Amino acid sequence: MQLDTIIAEPHEAYTLIDSGHGRKLERYGPYSFIRPEPQAMWAPATGDWQADGEFLPAADADGGGRWHLADHVPESWPLTRGDVRFHAANTPFRHLAFFPDMAPQWDWMAARTRAGDEVLNLFGYTGVGSLLLAGQGARVTHVDASKKAVAAARDNQALSKMDDRPIRWLVEDALKYTEREVRRARRYDGIMLDPPKFGRGPKGERWELNETLPELLAAIAQLVDDRSKYVVLTAYAVRMSALALGVLMETVLPRGHVQIGEMAVREEARGLLLPTAIFARWTPEKPD
């Protein structure tokens, strides 16, 4: 199985300006920030980083720490991707309320999505991907266990002036909802999922990627068929191989083609590639 690299190039909403010495300097619209980045083991292009804020990690390597922001940085600000507008914000988990390296995945799915397609977005977060696919005319079911994330997704829908699009925003446990869809004999034209390493459902349901992902993919396999167009799985900050994701997908999903690899962001300063995540995606036939 060949490993591919999907690269997010600098775009209007986001640019990786520079990286090195365990940190990265990024631009989110008009504001720039410094965040920890353990994989940036090289030296930065320049040591003179000017930013509007920095996330300083604490002892908890999985997310502890806090933002130090200049007074002029607002609580949130709007960004644009295609026809979709959404809010960026400095969250307590060091993120900026969306994942910019997902842009090539969104574009790949959008190119395969047609009006009337049924799409399921599990662990959908603040809804940028859901809105982009709804912009293609898809009927989207967006599922996330966080009431706050779904509220932010609804706000992004209003900001994008897409209130008329057929999107169902659900605060649900991803596995339980998928299993219910199987019992309802539902099918989908496309499914995307971006599960965390660990998590809790709205009723305290426990999620652990290594243990629960096989069960979730087995349920997803019953929601797709040879007329479906894609299943896209991404995973961040995990001690897991893309090859493992690919083999799992091959053994569980219907016969088709599985592509695997890494996701990366291209640095503006030197064109270096900063790895961010691993992925596996299924299609019923090998894409051109």
Side-chain angles (χ1 to χ4, degrees):
M1 194 177 292
Q2 176 180 322
L3 290 167
D4 295 321
T5 303
I6 293 177
I7 302 168
E9 303 288 351
H11 54 84
E12 179 183 359
Y14 173 81
T15 299
L16 174 63
I17 303 170
D18 195 6
S19 62
H21 290 165
R23 301 190 304 164
K24 56 187 174 184
L25 174 63
E26 306 163 290
R27 183 184 302 112
Y28 287 79
Y31 304 106
S32 58
F33 303 100
I34 298 169
R35 293 193 293 162
E37 182 46 72
Q39 298 199 89
M41 297 179 285
W42 45 85
T46 174
D48 185 25
W49 286 6
Q50 302 296 318
D52 299 294
E54 181 172 3
F55 188 92
L56 298 178
D60 180 2
D62 289 327
R66 62 187 298 267
W67 284 101
H68 291 257
L69 302 171
D71 292 339
H72 63 268
V73 176
E75 183 175 338
S76 67
W77 61 99
L79 298 176
T80 301
R81 177 78 183 174
D83 295 330
V84 174
R85 286 172 60 78
F86 53 95
H87 292 98
N90 301 93
T91 75
F93 304 102
R94 82 177 64 187
H95 307 305
L96 274 293
F98 77 107
F99 294 99
D101 55 329
M102 282 294 296
Q105 299 281 19
W106 294 329
D107 293 345
W108 185 89
M109 287 182 281
R112 288 158 175 78
T113 301
R114 298 293 179 264
D117 283 355
E118 294 280 350
V119 175
L120 175 62
N121 186 4
L122 300 171
F123 312 95
Y125 196 38
T126 56
V128 181
S130 294
L131 291 168
L132 284 164
L133 295 181
Q136 299 298 112
R139 302 175 62 84
V140 180
T141 300
H142 174 108
V143 179
D144 198 283
S146 167
K147 185 180 297 185
K148 186 174 182 180
V150 172
R154 286 181 174 273
D155 288 343
N156 287 336
Q157 182 182 25
L159 184 66
S160 300
K161 301 186 186 305
M162 296 176 69
D163 290 317
D164 61 333
R165 302 304 170 96
I167 307 174
R168 300 172 65 216
W169 304 107
L170 303 178
V171 180
E172 292 266 12
D173 176 75
L175 177 58
K176 282 189 173 180
Y177 180 79
T178 303
E179 290 174 336
R180 287 204 304 275
E181 289 290 84
V182 171
R183 292 194 293 271
R184 295 172 185 138
R186 289 289 304 275
R187 68 165 295 278
Y188 285 90
D189 297 289
I191 299 177
M192 56 175 154
L193 60 156
D194 181 25
K197 286 189 297 185
F198 305 101
R200 292 284 181 183
K203 296 182 180 179
E205 300 93 340
R206 181 174 176 271
W207 170 270
E208 186 166 348
L209 186 70
N210 292 52
E211 295 180 4
T212 324
L213 181 60
E215 188 177 359
L216 177 59
L217 275 180
I220 286 173
Q222 299 178 71
L223 301 180
V224 294
D225 54 30
D226 58 4
R227 293 177 294 123
S228 300
K229 298 173 180 179
Y230 53 79
V231 175
V232 176
L233 164 64
T234 54
Y236 288 77
V238 294
R239 292 186 176 93
M240 184 182 294
S241 165
L243 183 59
L245 293 185
V247 171
L248 173 62
M249 195 171 268
E250 273 194 336
T251 58
V252 171
L253 293 184
R255 183 180 298 275
H257 175 75
V258 174
Q259 180 188 12
I260 64 170
E262 294 201 21
M263 294 161 58
V265 176
R266 191 181 305 279
E267 181 196 274
E268 184 181 58
R270 296 162 291 186
L272 300 179
L273 296 183
L274 177 65
T276 59
I278 58 176
F279 78 92
R281 59 193 189 191
W282 170 93
T283 51
E285 296 179 354
K286 186 173 182 178
D288 296 334

PDB file of all heavy atoms in Angstrom, residues 115-132:
ATOM      1  N   ALA A 115     -25.357  17.523  -5.970  1.00  0.00           N
ATOM      2  CA  ALA A 115     -26.618  17.949  -5.359  1.00  0.00           C
ATOM      3  C   ALA A 115     -27.475  16.729  -5.043  1.00  0.00           C
ATOM      4  O   ALA A 115     -27.623  15.817  -5.857  1.00  0.00           O
ATOM      5  CB  ALA A 115     -27.357  18.896  -6.298  1.00  0.00           C
ATOM      6  N   GLY A 116     -28.003  16.714  -3.832  1.00  0.00           N
ATOM      7  CA  GLY A 116     -28.854  15.611  -3.399  1.00  0.00           C
ATOM      8  C   GLY A 116     -28.124  14.488  -2.708  1.00  0.00           C
ATOM      9  O   GLY A 116     -28.773  13.601  -2.129  1.00  0.00           O
ATOM     10  N   ASP A 117     -26.788  14.464  -2.739  1.00  0.00           N
ATOM     11  CA  ASP A 117     -26.036  13.427  -2.034  1.00  0.00           C
ATOM     12  C   ASP A 117     -26.289  13.516  -0.535  1.00  0.00           C
ATOM     13  O   ASP A 117     -26.431  14.606   0.035  1.00  0.00           O
ATOM     14  CB  ASP A 117     -24.536  13.577  -2.290  1.00  0.00           C
ATOM     15  CG  ASP A 117     -24.117  13.072  -3.661  1.00  0.00           C
ATOM     16  OD1 ASP A 117     -24.965  12.514  -4.370  1.00  0.00           O
ATOM     17  OD2 ASP A 117     -22.929  13.246  -4.021  1.00  0.00           O
ATOM     18  N   GLU A 118     -26.297  12.356   0.112  1.00  0.00           N
ATOM     19  CA  GLU A 118     -26.427  12.272   1.566  1.00  0.00           C
ATOM     20  C   GLU A 118     -25.031  12.091   2.159  1.00  0.00           C
ATOM     21  O   GLU A 118     -24.339  11.125   1.835  1.00  0.00           O
ATOM     22  CB  GLU A 118     -27.321  11.099   1.964  1.00  0.00           C
ATOM     23  CG  GLU A 118     -28.779  11.239   1.542  1.00  0.00           C
ATOM     24  CD  GLU A 118     -29.559  12.141   2.474  1.00  0.00           C
ATOM     25  OE1 GLU A 118     -29.027  12.503   3.550  1.00  0.00           O
ATOM     26  OE2 GLU A 118     -30.702  12.473   2.119  1.00  0.00           O
ATOM     27  N   VAL A 119     -24.622  13.022   3.015  1.00  0.00           N
ATOM     28  CA  VAL A 119     -23.278  12.999   3.594  1.00  0.00           C
ATOM     29  C   VAL A 119     -23.378  13.011   5.114  1.00  0.00           C
ATOM     30  O   VAL A 119     -24.182  13.756   5.692  1.00  0.00           O
ATOM     31  CB  VAL A 119     -22.445  14.210   3.111  1.00  0.00           C
ATOM     32  CG1 VAL A 119     -21.089  14.247   3.815  1.00  0.00           C
ATOM     33  CG2 VAL A 119     -22.251  14.150   1.598  1.00  0.00           C
ATOM     34  N   LEU A 120     -22.562  12.184   5.757  1.00  0.00           N
ATOM     35  CA  LEU A 120     -22.498  12.106   7.215  1.00  0.00           C
ATOM     36  C   LEU A 120     -21.132  12.601   7.676  1.00  0.00           C
ATOM     37  O   LEU A 120     -20.101  12.110   7.226  1.00  0.00           O
ATOM     38  CB  LEU A 120     -22.716  10.658   7.670  1.00  0.00           C
ATOM     39  CG  LEU A 120     -22.574  10.350   9.164  1.00  0.00           C
ATOM     40  CD1 LEU A 120     -23.604  11.114   9.982  1.00  0.00           C
ATOM     41  CD2 LEU A 120     -22.697   8.841   9.407  1.00  0.00           C
ATOM     42  N   ASN A 121     -21.131  13.592   8.567  1.00  0.00           N
ATOM     43  CA  ASN A 121     -19.897  14.134   9.121  1.00  0.00           C
ATOM     44  C   ASN A 121     -19.861  13.836  10.613  1.00  0.00           C
ATOM     45  O   ASN A 121     -20.585  14.453  11.404  1.00  0.00           O
ATOM     46  CB  ASN A 121     -19.819  15.648   8.871  1.00  0.00           C
ATOM     47  CG  ASN A 121     -18.483  16.245   9.299  1.00  0.00           C
ATOM     48  OD1 ASN A 121     -17.580  15.528   9.723  1.00  0.00           O
ATOM     49  ND2 ASN A 121     -18.353  17.554   9.192  1.00  0.00           N
ATOM     50  N   LEU A 122     -19.027  12.861  11.002  1.00  0.00           N
ATOM     51  CA  LEU A 122     -18.886  12.462  12.400  1.00  0.00           C
ATOM     52  C   LEU A 122     -17.722  13.205  13.048  1.00  0.00           C
ATOM     53  O   LEU A 122     -16.681  13.387  12.430  1.00  0.00           O
ATOM     54  CB  LEU A 122     -18.661  10.959  12.488  1.00  0.00           C
ATOM     55  CG  LEU A 122     -19.779  10.072  11.920  1.00  0.00           C
ATOM     56  CD1 LEU A 122     -19.332   8.615  11.866  1.00  0.00           C
ATOM     57  CD2 LEU A 122     -21.052  10.213  12.752  1.00  0.00           C
ATOM     58  N   PHE A 123     -17.900  13.592  14.309  1.00  0.00           N
ATOM     59  CA  PHE A 123     -16.908  14.429  15.006  1.00  0.00           C
ATOM     60  C   PHE A 123     -16.716  15.719  14.195  1.00  0.00           C
ATOM     61  O   PHE A 123     -15.602  16.159  13.943  1.00  0.00           O
ATOM     62  CB  PHE A 123     -15.572  13.701  15.176  1.00  0.00           C
ATOM     63  CG  PHE A 123     -15.686  12.296  15.706  1.00  0.00           C
ATOM     64  CD1 PHE A 123     -15.715  11.209  14.848  1.00  0.00           C
ATOM     65  CD2 PHE A 123     -15.769  12.053  17.071  1.00  0.00           C
ATOM     66  CE1 PHE A 123     -15.823   9.904  15.321  1.00  0.00           C
ATOM     67  CE2 PHE A 123     -15.879  10.753  17.556  1.00  0.00           C
ATOM     68  CZ  PHE A 123     -15.908   9.678  16.681  1.00  0.00           C
ATOM     69  N   GLY A 124     -17.830  16.335  13.807  1.00  0.00           N
ATOM     70  CA  GLY A 124     -17.803  17.419  12.820  1.00  0.00           C
ATOM     71  C   GLY A 124     -17.296  18.747  13.314  1.00  0.00           C
ATOM     72  O   GLY A 124     -17.112  19.672  12.506  1.00  0.00           O
ATOM     73  N   TYR A 125     -17.088  18.924  14.609  1.00  0.00           N
ATOM     74  CA  TYR A 125     -16.502  20.114  15.222  1.00  0.00           C
ATOM     75  C   TYR A 125     -17.311  21.360  14.848  1.00  0.00           C
ATOM     76  O   TYR A 125     -18.532  21.376  15.008  1.00  0.00           O
ATOM     77  CB  TYR A 125     -15.029  20.201  14.845  1.00  0.00           C
ATOM     78  CG  TYR A 125     -14.189  21.153  15.696  1.00  0.00           C
ATOM     79  CD1 TYR A 125     -14.414  21.275  17.060  1.00  0.00           C
ATOM     80  CD2 TYR A 125     -13.174  21.910  15.138  1.00  0.00           C
ATOM     81  CE1 TYR A 125     -13.644  22.134  17.832  1.00  0.00           C
ATOM     82  CE2 TYR A 125     -12.401  22.774  15.909  1.00  0.00           C
ATOM     83  CZ  TYR A 125     -12.639  22.879  17.251  1.00  0.00           C
ATOM     84  OH  TYR A 125     -11.881  23.729  18.017  1.00  0.00           O
ATOM     85  N   THR A 126     -16.685  22.396  14.316  1.00  0.00           N
ATOM     86  CA  THR A 126     -17.379  23.667  14.089  1.00  0.00           C
ATOM     87  C   THR A 126     -17.979  23.786  12.699  1.00  0.00           C
ATOM     88  O   THR A 126     -18.408  24.863  12.293  1.00  0.00           O
ATOM     89  CB  THR A 126     -16.432  24.849  14.341  1.00  0.00           C
ATOM     90  OG1 THR A 126     -15.259  24.714  13.521  1.00  0.00           O
ATOM     91  CG2 THR A 126     -16.025  24.918  15.805  1.00  0.00           C
ATOM     92  N   GLY A 127     -18.001  22.678  11.950  1.00  0.00           N
ATOM     93  CA  GLY A 127     -18.857  22.603  10.781  1.00  0.00           C
ATOM     94  C   GLY A 127     -18.340  23.157   9.472  1.00  0.00           C
ATOM     95  O   GLY A 127     -19.111  23.241   8.506  1.00  0.00           O
ATOM     96  N   VAL A 128     -17.075  23.512   9.375  1.00  0.00           N
ATOM     97  CA  VAL A 128     -16.585  24.084   8.113  1.00  0.00           C
ATOM     98  C   VAL A 128     -16.731  23.071   6.980  1.00  0.00           C
ATOM     99  O   VAL A 128     -17.224  23.394   5.891  1.00  0.00           O
ATOM    100  CB  VAL A 128     -15.127  24.562   8.253  1.00  0.00           C
ATOM    101  CG1 VAL A 128     -14.639  25.175   6.934  1.00  0.00           C
ATOM    102  CG2 VAL A 128     -14.996  25.573   9.382  1.00  0.00           C
ATOM    103  N   GLY A 129     -16.324  21.829   7.225  1.00  0.00           N
ATOM    104  CA  GLY A 129     -16.462  20.796   6.201  1.00  0.00           C
ATOM    105  C   GLY A 129     -17.916  20.544   5.841  1.00  0.00           C
ATOM    106  O   GLY A 129     -18.265  20.367   4.662  1.00  0.00           O
ATOM    107  N   SER A 130     -18.808  20.522   6.838  1.00  0.00           N
ATOM    108  CA  SER A 130     -20.226  20.308   6.575  1.00  0.00           C
ATOM    109  C   SER A 130     -20.786  21.407   5.688  1.00  0.00           C
ATOM    110  O   SER A 130     -21.549  21.157   4.741  1.00  0.00           O
ATOM    111  CB  SER A 130     -21.003  20.263   7.897  1.00  0.00           C
ATOM    112  OG  SER A 130     -20.644  19.133   8.665  1.00  0.00           O
ATOM    113  N   LEU A 131     -20.403  22.651   5.952  1.00  0.00           N
ATOM    114  CA  LEU A 131     -20.912  23.776   5.168  1.00  0.00           C
ATOM    115  C   LEU A 131     -20.368  23.756   3.746  1.00  0.00           C
ATOM    116  O   LEU A 131     -21.093  24.063   2.790  1.00  0.00           O
ATOM    117  CB  LEU A 131     -20.557  25.087   5.868  1.00  0.00           C
ATOM    118  CG  LEU A 131     -21.308  25.325   7.186  1.00  0.00           C
ATOM    119  CD1 LEU A 131     -20.689  26.478   7.959  1.00  0.00           C
ATOM    120  CD2 LEU A 131     -22.784  25.595   6.940  1.00  0.00           C
ATOM    121  N   LEU A 132     -19.105  23.383   3.591  1.00  0.00           N
ATOM    122  CA  LEU A 132     -18.537  23.317   2.243  1.00  0.00           C
ATOM    123  C   LEU A 132     -19.243  22.263   1.401  1.00  0.00           C
ATOM    124  O   LEU A 132     -19.510  22.481   0.210  1.00  0.00           O
ATOM    125  CB  LEU A 132     -17.036  23.025   2.318  1.00  0.00           C
ATOM    126  CG  LEU A 132     -16.158  24.211   2.736  1.00  0.00           C
ATOM    127  CD1 LEU A 132     -14.781  23.735   3.163  1.00  0.00           C
ATOM    128  CD2 LEU A 132     -16.031  25.214   1.600  1.00  0.00           C
TER     129      LEU A 132
END
